[in-house]
Amino acid sequence: EGFMDGLKREVDKTFNPRTRGAKIAGRAPGEERPTEVSPEKLAQWEANNGGDADAQYRPDFDLAAFTERLEEQMRAEEAAKTAVELAEEKVAADLAARLAEVHDGHGSVAAELGRVKVLEEVAKTNNSESPGESWGGDWAKSERQTELERAYYGEDYVGEGPMSGRELALLCHAKYGKYHDMAVKHVRMGEGMKRWVSLNLYVGHLGQRSYPATEDVYLQQLDAIAYMITSWGQADYTRAFFREPPIARRGLPSKPRVDTCVTLQFNRSPTWDDELGDEFFTY
């Protein structure tokens, strides 16, 4: 299954009038997941646990090893970004050196003008692009997003860049100690009314027997969610939420419960605009 298929599935899940309220153990009532572990596999796990059908966790899931794997991958991604930035700096330095030679009289006027133009373009690119404005090679903030961010955070606001599924997973684990199931939900009561868009965290979590998605499937799901969050310019808003200690607010629990999910409402963000979701939601 490709990324776009996973993204479409997550968007389709954002609104379902039949499943209001919290999902039980990470699944809405009657919701089927094609990635669920087979009954045969569950029976095998039960046998491995001495016949205990109430065993809560999958015996094949290692929380510490999975977390270490994600952290290592994040470090590798950061190192790759640093290498690219160093390469770009080297190119800019080489161009500056060649321009200095021109100024010393070792080149024609035409060459000087041409190199000045190149350096000006490089400078424009370096000044205009933030770390998150070239995500995946083709992602860029809209003018509207940039306007909202600078109006709230200030003209010098750059941000931490785009969010990945791995980062979202690690943020969740750092706050709650578990990799909780997540989904983007939206509600619009009627035409012309504001759209309520939120990130919901459910009690189901990776490694739980009643939430038997594999690690890779979980990360694919979070990649799609992180893509939507980044596309709406809400990556830093989401990071701020996960970096706060778990506290109860607005009648919601501090941590996901069986009967109630934890909700981060994007429409409460100072940089949210209803038009940001129109690309994803048609109702």
Side-chain angles (χ1 to χ4, degrees), residues 32-55:
E32 295 182 358
R33 290 178 181 267
T35 55
E36 288 183 352
V37 176
S38 67
E40 292 78 14
K41 187 69 174 179
L42 290 174
Q44 180 182 341
W45 289 343
E46 181 180 334
N48 293 340
N49 281 275
D52 182 8
D54 295 325

Side-chain angles (χ1 to χ4, degrees), residues 91-96 98-99 110-126:
V91 170
D94 289 344
L95 286 171
R98 293 176 65 185
L99 180 59
E112 179 179 352
L113 293 176
R115 288 168 183 164
V116 168
K117 185 176 181 181
V118 169
L119 284 173
E120 287 177 345
E121 292 301 320
V122 171
K124 288 179 182 178
T125 300
N126 290 339

Side-chain angles (χ1 to χ4, degrees), residues 72-85 160:
E72 183 178 345
Q73 290 171 341
M74 289 288 292
R75 287 193 293 269
E77 289 176 0
E78 192 61 35
K81 290 178 183 177
T82 302
V84 170
E85 291 171 357
E160 296 183 40

